Amino acid sequence: MTRSPDTRPPVLSVRGLSVRFRLSGNRHIAAVTDARFDLAAGECLALVGESGCGKSVLASALLGLLPANARSTGSAVLDGDTDLLAADERTLARSVRGRRIGLVPQSPAAHLTPVRTVRSQLEETLRELTGVRGPALRGAAEAAASRVSFPAGHLDRYPHQLSGGLAQRAATALALIGDAPLLLADEPTTGLDRDLVERTVDELRRHTDGGRALLLITHDLAAAERIADRVAVMYAGRIVEIADAGRFFGRPGPRHPYARGLLDALPERDFAPIPGMPPELGALPEGCAFAARCARADERCAQLPAFDGAVACHHRLPDDRPSKERTDA
C-alpha cells in the first residue's frame, strides 16, 4: 500500500542553511552550503553521502550544538513557529531538545552519563518527558529498552561496561522516549550487526508511521532503502539531489552522477568505487565540486550548478523511465 501524501505544513522547513567554521589565519571551512528541504509528519528523509560531507554538521546546526567557531545562516523552522537557527540556548535546552526534537547521536558514549546506569537514565527521561512515576517506572524503562532490543540484563550497567552496539541502542531508546515530533538519527546503526540494523531501522519506521518526522543521517544505503520515503544526497557540503526513495533505489535511479556512483559502489550492485577523493571543505573549487571525479565533466562544470529542488548538475542523468513508488511492506 502506497503511503498517502501528507498535506499538513512541514514539521521542519530548511532554507539556505549554511555553516562556516572560522580557523586561524582568516581561513574558513564551508561545512554546509545552502541546504534546503522540507520534512513532513510521517515521513523519513535519509541524508546520505561520504564521511566528511557535512551531514552531521547539519544536524548539529538544527540542535544548536555547533562549536563556538561556527557560524550558521539561513533558517530551519520547526512546526511553523520556531526558527532553530535563531532560537537562543535557553529555548533550545528547555523546550526543543528532547521534547520537540529527539536525537540519536553519532557518538552515543559521549551523550550517556558515565556515572549512572542505563536504567536510571531511562527512568529519569521517562519522568521528565512522560510523567511516569512510582512502581510503573521500572516497567516503563524496560519497555523503552525493549523497543530497540536492548537486553534487560544490561540495564543496570554503566556506559563504560557496554559495547559500542549496546551504547548505540541505549542512546536510541532514550531518543524515542517522549515521541518527539521530529527525530534526528545520526548514524543510528553504527556498531550493530545486520539483524540489529534491520530491527533498529524498523523501529524507527514504526516511530515515523505514528505521524512523526525522521531525518536519518546515514552512510548505510541498505538501511536507507529499507525505511526512507525520500533520499537527499550531500556532497562537499551541498545537497546535490533529492528524490523519492523508490525512484532512487529502483527505476529510473539517481540523476546526479555522484549519487549514481554511490549506488554503483555497493557490493550487491556493480561494486565499482567512485574514483578519486572528495575535495577539502576548506579549499572547494568555484564550480562543481564533483567535476574532478566525474566522467561527464566538461567546461560547463567550471560554473556551480544550481539546485532546482531535485538535482544540482549540468549533466544530470536521463529521467526517461517510469518511477517505482515506495510501498509499505
Side-chain angles (χ1 to χ4, degrees):
M1 181 177 65
T2 304
R3 191 178 70 84
S4 301
D6 199 306
T7 58
R8 291 174 288 178
V11 173
L12 179 67
S13 183
V14 173
R15 294 292 181 272
L17 192 162
S18 297
V19 178
R20 299 289 183 270
F21 290 99
R22 297 183 301 276
L23 304 178
S24 60
N26 200 30
R27 296 177 298 134
H28 74 275
I29 291 177
V32 179
T33 300
D34 196 28
R36 53 188 65 229
F37 60 87
D38 289 333
L39 184 54
E43 179 184 34
C44 170
L45 175 65
L47 182 60
V48 304
E50 292 168 292
S51 296
C53 69
K55 306 187 300 296
S56 295
V57 173
L58 188 152
S60 295
L62 295 176
L63 289 165
L65 297 176
L66 292 170
N69 68 328
R71 178 174 179 267
S72 59
T73 55
S75 64
V77 178
L78 180 66
D79 286 331
D81 60 21
T82 302
D83 186 348
L84 300 171
L85 303 187
D88 57 37
E89 173 59 24
R90 181 185 178 90
T91 299
L92 292 171
R94 292 198 170 190
S95 63
V96 174
R97 298 187 200 120
R99 298 181 181 278
R100 299 177 66 185
I101 303 179
L103 172 66
V104 181
Q106 185 177 28
S107 301
H111 286 255
L112 297 172
T113 304
V115 296
R116 300 184 62 190
T117 65
V118 174
R119 184 190 300 277
S120 68
Q121 293 181 62
L122 288 172
E123 290 180 349
E124 178 186 34
T125 304
L126 283 161
R127 280 193 297 268
E128 182 177 349
L129 297 184
T130 70
V132 176
R133 285 175 170 77
L137 195 57
R138 184 179 181 87
E142 292 176 356
S146 178
R147 286 181 72 179
V148 295
S149 302
F150 187 94
H154 289 66
L155 280 171
D156 294 311
R157 294 188 176 186
Y158 293 89
H160 73 272
Q161 297 174 308
L162 304 178
S163 67
L166 282 175
Q168 186 70 61
R169 280 181 272 169
T172 302
L174 287 165
L176 291 175
I177 291 174
D179 292 325
L182 172 61
L183 182 65
L184 303 184
D186 191 357
E187 302 289 1
T189 60
T190 299
L192 305 182
D193 62 33
R194 201 69 234 167
D195 179 62
L196 282 173
V197 166
E198 293 179 356
R199 290 162 70 179
T200 298
V201 297
D202 287 349
E203 181 57 43
L204 293 176
R205 183 70 240 182
R206 283 189 288 272
H207 178 83
T208 307
D209 287 339
R212 303 165 194 91
L214 170 63
L215 179 60
L216 173 66
I217 296 171
T218 185
H219 66 274
D220 188 339
L221 291 176
E225 182 176 11
R226 190 174 179 90
I227 69 166
D229 297 294
R230 291 187 298 145
V231 179
V233 181
M234 181 172 273
Y235 184 77
R238 291 182 180 272
I239 293 177
V240 296
E241 180 166 3
I242 298 180
D244 290 340
R247 297 171 62 86
F248 187 87
F249 292 108
R251 298 181 63 184
R255 300 190 65 195
H256 194 284
Y258 171 68
R260 183 67 60 89
L262 285 179
L263 286 188
D264 288 346
L266 295 175
E268 62 269 27
R269 302 213 180 197
D270 292 344
F271 206 20
I274 301 172
M277 296 291 292
E280 294 289 338
L281 294 179
L284 293 174
E286 292 186 4
C288 174
F290 186 62
R293 306 173 71 187
C294 182
R296 304 169 70 91
D298 61 18
E299 64 279 359
R300 285 178 289 176
C301 302
Q303 300 296 319
L304 186 68
F307 181 65
D308 61 4
V311 188
C313 182
H314 296 299
H315 303 285
R316 61 186 65 192
L317 297 164
D319 186 13
D320 56 0
R321 288 180 288 179
S323 66
K324 174 186 174 184
E325 292 185 335
R326 180 189 187 277
T327 57
D328 294 328

